[in-house]
Amino acid sequence: MATIKEESTGRLTHIWDSERVLAPVMIAPAILYIAVLVGVPFFLAIYYSLSDATTGDPSLNFVGLRNFLAVLNDSVFRRSLKNTFIFTFVSQLLVLVLAKVLALALIKEFRGKWLVRFLILLPWTAPIALGTIGWLWILDSIFSPIDWVLRYLGLLGAPDAILGTNSNLYWLGVPSLAMLSVIVVHTWRMLPLATVILLAGLTAIPQEILDAAEVDGAGFWRRLFQVMIPLLLPIMTIAVLFGVVFTFTDIAVVYVLTQGGPVHSTQVLASWAFFKGIEAGDLAQGAAVALFLFPVMAGVAALMLRLARRTEVT
Amino acid sequence: MASFKRLGRLGSLYGVLALFALFAAFPFFWMVITSFKRAHDLYTLENNPFLFNEPPTMEHLHGLFFDTLFVKYLVNTVVVGIAVVAITLVVAVPAAYSLARWAGRWGENLGIAIFLTYLVPPTLLFIPLSRVIGALGVQESLWSLILVYPTFTIPFCTWLLMGFFKSIPQDIEEQALVDGYSRFGAMVRIVLPLSISGILTVVVFAFTLSMHEFIYALAFISSSALKTVSIGVPTELVGEFFEWGPLMAGALIPSIPVAFLYTLFLDRFIAGFTVGAIK
């Protein structure tokens, strides 16, 4: 089919017609771009982590695994590693359960759906750094509206109040509450994405299957656990994988909310890498800290690949 | 009886939805209230914080626009966004078309590989990239962001566009070839106009993703006048005077339009995320 005009015109048209030339030429810029600005920095990260580079003295001397040993011996790093896993695991567990409930509610038709949808999606659609500023003010040490409500209900700030006689809980000033706050904000942020992904999966389940199950006498819970959830498993996996990617590697929530404090109790890998690598100027150790993100991301990528392959075959 | 039961079901549906909507939107609702509340009202502990105990005021908005660099942050954000959209389109459209039409098995794998680079987190790359940016001589300039943001918009948008191009029947192009278009001409004149909605989606996403970005901007830009809203508002407005009124207004104003735009296009975005998992 590509030969029709070839006789009448010259070589130039021939190039515009040749798939052998066009295909690689058109895809090359994308590959080049990614190779230079993702591939190169990735290997640089590994290289830095094995060197003694600092922002002041970027000359590289090979120091072997010294940075990794130094990092592993650092209690702040171990705390960050642990926190990263805790925050990701707990928030994703909450997200999965809540998203299921919310998706089942949102699949129904009702009035004002677009408004409800807009509001529910806000945590994901608005820039996370800005949304977190809202939380910063909600969790303020003195003017927190949550504290105000608790005081109003007599649960806080009265002589015999359950939550203590202080007039505030100091959400971001007490390690356990600060951790809880970070988890809540992560859950808040990822819930919309997981919900819409699940919703997409729910709408793809043929209604006949659910009807058939109902006719066969399966109640709501049996339909949920024995029909819907098994059918939704691949899409739930996708939702969780994206949730893990975004939560595990996020820095904005911790940076805006607590800066890793109080006393590093909410520090995570990403924020610790930033404080070490950029603010303190220790490129080598910063890179070493950030590289600990890699195994989990590689695992997620492998799982995604398997899912993609599997659905390709069917 | 039956209608009572239905009413109850409807009631619990609305109840569940109201609870979730409250949880999701509360920080933004709180921004709205704070933006218009007088300082005296905000910082009086005895006042009910959910009500306007004194008449609303525009003073915070005025302060935000005239006493801070907020407008500058908005301009920077839009400049970076537009440039990133342009680079993304120029690189991703041909790549996606090529992958959708001409590549066989290896192309499929290449497409997945490109998408997977979207999963390489910026928090892993920002330290070495800060040196690459220095080596390119664009540190402390918006160019650093313009160059780096396409590293996450290109993979995602290529993936999305691939889906769109695949959904356009190949017969249309073959007809165009019969009509005397070159292979390239058929793509530009016939396929691209048909993919306008896909391209629009990509424009919206490249823009919103670059507006959302935080870590690269935080690591590469330290001079106040060059910051984007995502980092300018949390670092400069908090640091400068820590007045909650202007800060909340500064967080709210950029959030609402971008959230609106994002919501309009979300379904297509999700279709890209879940390609293959729904059959």
Side-chain angles (χ1 to χ4, degrees):
Chain A
M1 55 180 164
T3 54
I4 292 164
K5 290 191 72 182
E6 215 164 282
E7 289 161 30
S8 54
T9 45
R11 280 187 65 121
L12 203 65
T13 324
H14 185 70
I15 291 173
W16 292 126
D17 264 330
S18 162
E19 295 180 6
R20 275 176 179 278
V21 179
L22 274 180
V25 164
M26 280 167 59
I27 201 164
I31 292 177
L32 259 176
Y33 212 111
I34 291 168
V36 172
L37 288 171
V38 178
V40 169
F42 178 71
F43 288 105
L44 261 183
I46 298 175
Y47 191 49
Y48 277 151
S49 70
L50 300 171
S51 78
D52 62 354
T54 59
T55 22
D57 173 22
S59 65
L60 300 170
N61 297 304
F62 184 78
V63 298
L65 295 174
R66 208 176 69 194
N67 291 313
F68 287 96
L69 289 178
V71 155
L72 281 169
N73 273 322
D74 179 0
S75 64
V76 178
F77 169 79
R78 291 200 300 268
R79 182 80 206 237
S80 309
L81 188 66
K82 201 173 114 194
N83 280 345
T84 311
F85 276 100
I86 295 176
F87 293 163
T88 307
F89 183 76
V90 178
S91 66
Q92 289 317 298
L93 201 67
L94 287 171
V95 163
L96 198 58
V97 175
L98 293 174
K100 192 86 224 294
V101 176
L102 185 51
L104 283 175
L106 272 178
I107 202 169
K108 305 252 165 53
E109 285 305 322
F110 54 88
R111 294 180 69 170
K113 190 167 180 174
W114 68 270
L115 179 66
V116 171
R117 213 174 101 95
F118 175 74
L119 293 178
I120 283 172
L121 290 173
L122 268 174
W124 175 255
T125 52
I128 178 64
L130 302 183
T132 310
I133 294 177
W135 283 103
L136 187 65
W137 177 221
I138 291 170
L139 300 169
D140 186 75
S141 58
I142 297 166
F143 299 102
S144 166
I146 306 173
D147 289 353
W148 188 89
V149 170
L150 293 174
R151 278 198 303 273
Y152 185 79
L153 297 172
L155 299 172
L156 180 72
D160 56 346
I162 307 168
L163 294 170
T165 51
N166 279 333
S167 55
N168 290 94
L169 284 173
Y170 305 104
W171 290 96
L172 303 175
V174 179
S176 57
L177 288 179
M179 287 180 72
L180 178 69
S181 305
V182 171
I183 289 171
V184 168
V185 176
H186 272 306
T187 308
W188 172 79
R189 195 252 177 139
M190 293 312 302
L191 181 59
L193 182 69
T195 304
V196 282
I197 292 181
L198 280 186
L199 207 53
L202 271 179
T203 39
I205 295 181
Q207 189 60 40
E208 304 95 73
I209 295 185
L210 297 177
D211 290 344
E214 199 167 6
V215 169
D216 290 346
F220 174 77
W221 294 107
R222 269 195 79 178
R223 269 182 323 202
L224 183 65
F225 281 101
Q226 297 191 347
V227 182
M228 276 187 192
I229 289 185
L231 280 172
L232 284 177
L233 215 52
I235 199 109
M236 278 162 83
T237 318
I238 295 270
V240 170
L241 288 179
F242 275 109
V244 169
V245 171
F246 287 113
T247 313
F248 199 76
T249 64
D250 179 76
I251 183 173
V253 171
V254 164
Y255 186 89
V256 172
L257 216 53
T258 65
Q259 297 257 314
V263 221
H264 298 303
S265 58
T266 56
Q267 205 70 264
V268 289
L269 287 178
S271 61
W272 189 230
F274 177 81
F275 290 129
K276 269 221 129 93
I278 302 288
E279 299 223 314
D282 192 337
L283 293 172
Q285 285 205 16
V289 171
L291 271 178
F292 278 85
L293 293 168
F294 184 66
V296 170
M297 287 308 101
V300 169
L303 265 171
M304 290 249 183
L305 264 180
R306 275 193 57 187
L307 269 176
R309 288 274 143 78
R310 213 186 60 198
T311 41
E312 225 171 90
V313 175
T314 51
Chain B
M1 266 316 271
S3 72
F4 265 125
K5 210 172 156 190
R6 254 193 69 195
L7 212 65
R9 235 196 256 167
L10 207 65
S12 61
L13 173 69
Y14 277 111
V16 168
L17 287 169
L19 271 179
F20 274 109
L22 185 71
F23 175 55
F26 186 72
F28 299 95
F29 165 74
W30 207 235
M31 288 177 196
V32 175
I33 290 213
T34 309
S35 303
F36 294 106
K37 233 182 205 187
R38 281 168 200 271
H40 179 264
D41 190 1
L42 276 177
Y43 306 123
T44 304
L45 269 173
E46 293 73 37
N47 284 353
N48 181 334
F50 298 93
L51 303 175
F52 282 96
N53 303 282
E54 293 168 27
T57 173
M58 296 296 277
E59 67 184 30
H60 302 312
L61 284 176
H62 190 272
L64 176 71
F65 278 95
F66 295 103
D67 304 337
T68 74
L69 288 171
F70 182 65
V71 177
K72 192 95 185 118
Y73 306 149
L74 285 178
V75 172
N76 292 340
T77 307
V78 171
V79 168
V80 171
I82 290 174
V84 170
V85 166
I87 295 179
T88 307
L89 284 181
V90 168
V91 177
V93 169
Y97 183 82
S98 174
L99 285 171
R101 277 296 187 261
W102 295 322
R105 186 75 196 171
W106 64 270
E108 193 104 327
N109 291 338
L110 197 58
I112 293 175
I114 288 180
F115 179 67
L116 284 182
T117 58
Y118 177 69
L119 299 181
V120 178
T123 33
L124 179 64
L125 300 177
F126 71 97
I127 291 175
L129 266 175
S130 70
R131 308 304 299 178
V132 174
I133 290 305
L136 293 173
V138 291
Q139 72 273 48
E140 287 305 320
S141 112
L142 292 181
W143 280 107
S144 62
L145 306 183
I146 293 171
L147 276 178
V148 168
Y149 286 181
T151 57
F152 53 80
T153 57
I154 289 173
F156 193 75
C157 294
T158 304
W159 182 256
L160 267 183
L161 282 169
M162 227 170 89
F164 275 103
F165 289 143
K166 276 185 179 164
S167 70
I168 294 174
Q170 213 147 355
D171 306 356
I172 297 181
E173 283 154 275
E174 276 160 22
Q175 186 58 47
L177 292 176
V178 172
D179 292 347
Y181 284 100
S182 70
R183 200 70 194 69
F184 188 75
M187 176 190 110
V188 175
R189 303 275 186 77
I190 307 294
V191 179
L192 290 190
L194 285 174
S195 326
I196 278 298
S197 78
I199 289 170
L200 198 64
T201 310
V202 164
V203 168
V204 168
F205 282 111
F207 191 87
T208 46
L209 285 179
S210 59
M211 185 168 176
H212 281 211
E213 207 286 326
F214 183 73
I215 177 68
Y216 287 144
L218 187 68
F220 301 160
I221 307 273
S222 55
S223 42
S224 316
L226 290 173
K227 291 188 172 176
T228 56
V229 280
S230 234
I231 56 160
V233 174
T235 61
E236 297 289 325
L237 297 190
V238 171
E240 260 172 30
F241 44 88
F242 225 93
E243 273 186 55
W244 290 100
L247 181 61
M248 287 300 112
L252 180 71
I253 291 167
S255 295
I256 298 306
V258 73
F260 190 74
L261 208 59
Y262 205 148
T263 307
L264 282 181
F265 284 82
L266 191 80
D267 287 334
R268 293 179 186 168
F269 186 55
I270 295 306
F273 263 168
T274 55
V275 148
I278 306 174
K279 276 273 164 172

